[in-house]
Amino acid sequence: MRSVLVTGCGSGIGLETALAFARRGDRVHACVRDPATAGELLRRARAEELTLDVPKLDVTDDASVTAAVTAVQDRHGPLDVLVNNAGVDRTGPAETMPLEQARTVFETNFWGPLRVARAVLPGMRARGSGVIVNVSSLAARTFAVPHGGFYAASKAALGALSEALYAEVQPFGIRVVCLEPGSFATAIQRASRAGAADGQPPGTGPYAADHAWLDRFLARVAEGAADSAEAARAVLAAADDPTTPLHTVAGDDARAFSRARGSSGTGTGPRLARPARATPRPVPRSAG
């Protein structure tokens, strides 16, 4: 039985990952920022007669991270596996998106995983083993979609941090995997479709023409999104297999992109007509 901590378990990949570990008999700490969002997780766990702990953990808050990890390790010892899954997305142009919202993306998607990793690493080092799976995104590998620059940048930054961390902790018997899922049906995807966070009412501002395009693009991505359970299986495989590469993709679209890039340096994904002034390749978003 391994002790596993997963962040962002209220829905999507985090929820499915927590349940998948619990089915195997692992001791699962399925963390949520707000306990009110854990209803679906608890309902499904009860239906399958699974046992898991649901600590409150806000990855953007130092005190919350310290309190949750300390409580878990005081009861069960150092963690065997950390899955940094919690993530958010805010869409908006680089010029007009409120900086507060842009900072929220980095605070959750980049600084959040670092906070939790720092909290669990001393225990892993002391024991001489452990696995950290950072859930990034295919968006970190591809040309950033318009209005998605901050999300893509935060995930690319997480990938770079994972590379450094991989080399730093390897001598202590700790593995790091940066999982890069393609498009999966998750709450983060639905939130992306809620509207552009550019500080302008829809239909106004210098990038008004992009609003309709962005909505069509996100709808296309949602149509082709895979079940989050597939991404959860990729997380478990990364945690189990010591030969898993540092950068590992998940999902058919991500695998197709990797194959295409290996041969020609180009990616694949949904394409939609864009205003004539800019035509970069759209990139699907993932959870986490």
Side-chain angles (χ1 to χ4, degrees), residues 36 40 46 90 107 111 131 138 155 173 239 256-257:
E40 177 66 10
R46 285 192 298 268
R90 300 289 185 272
E107 200 64 49
W111 293 111
V131 182
L138 178 61
K155 292 298 189 178
F257 171 82

Side-chain angles (χ1 to χ4, degrees), residues 266-277:
T266 60
T268 61
R271 292 179 175 83
L272 290 171
R274 254 199 118 295
R277 67 177 181 276

Side-chain angles (χ1 to χ4, degrees), residues 17 30 34 50 76 88 90 102 110 125-126 141 158 164 167 169 187 198 202 213 260 272 275 283 286 288:
T17 297
D34 180 0
L50 301 174
H76 306 294
V88 298
R90 300 289 185 272
F110 176 76
R125 278 192 294 101
R141 288 186 170 223
L158 179 59
V169 301
D198 61 0
W213 170 86
L272 290 171
V283 177
S286 68

Side-chain angles (χ1 to χ4, degrees), residues 8 50-51 64 67 112 115 164 185 236 243 251 255 267 270:
L50 301 174
T51 300
S64 176
R115 282 189 184 90
L236 265 66
T243 66
R255 286 188 289 269

Side-chain angles (χ1 to χ4, degrees), residues 206-219:
Y207 300 95
D210 289 349
H211 285 254
W213 170 86
L214 183 63
D215 189 62
R216 291 196 305 273
F217 165 69
L218 293 174

Side-chain angles (χ1 to χ4, degrees), residues 4-23 28-32 37-38 40-42 44 50 52-54 82-87 133 135-136 155 179 181 184-188 227-233 235-236 286-288:
V4 181
L5 188 146
V6 186
T7 65
C9 293
S11 63
I13 294 174
L15 184 152
E16 296 292 348
T17 297
L19 293 175
F21 275 113
R23 290 186 191 109
V28 179
H29 314 284
C31 301
V32 293
T37 66
E40 177 66 10
L41 171 67
L42 293 172
R44 290 184 56 184
L50 301 174
L52 44 75
D53 179 29
V54 185
L82 165 63
V83 181
N84 274 318
N85 166 76
V133 180
V135 181
S136 179
K155 292 298 189 178
L179 186 69
F184 287 90
T186 66
I188 193 172
D227 192 317
S228 294
E230 179 186 345
R233 290 191 289 272
V235 173
L236 265 66
S286 68

Side-chain angles (χ1 to χ4, degrees), residues 77-141:
L79 288 159
D80 296 290
V81 180
L82 165 63
V83 181
N84 274 318
N85 166 76
V88 298
D89 185 17
R90 300 289 185 272
T91 53
E95 179 186 356
T96 59
M97 181 171 170
L99 288 181
E100 179 183 355
Q101 297 204 39
R103 291 189 180 102
T104 294
V105 174
F106 270 84
E107 200 64 49
T108 304
N109 296 356
F110 176 76
W111 293 111
L114 178 59
R115 282 189 184 90
V116 185
R118 283 184 165 189
V120 308
L121 275 169
M124 289 183 174
R125 278 192 294 101
R127 193 181 52 202
S129 66
V131 182
I132 296 175
V133 180
N134 290 328
V135 181
S136 179
S137 171
L138 178 61
R141 288 186 170 223

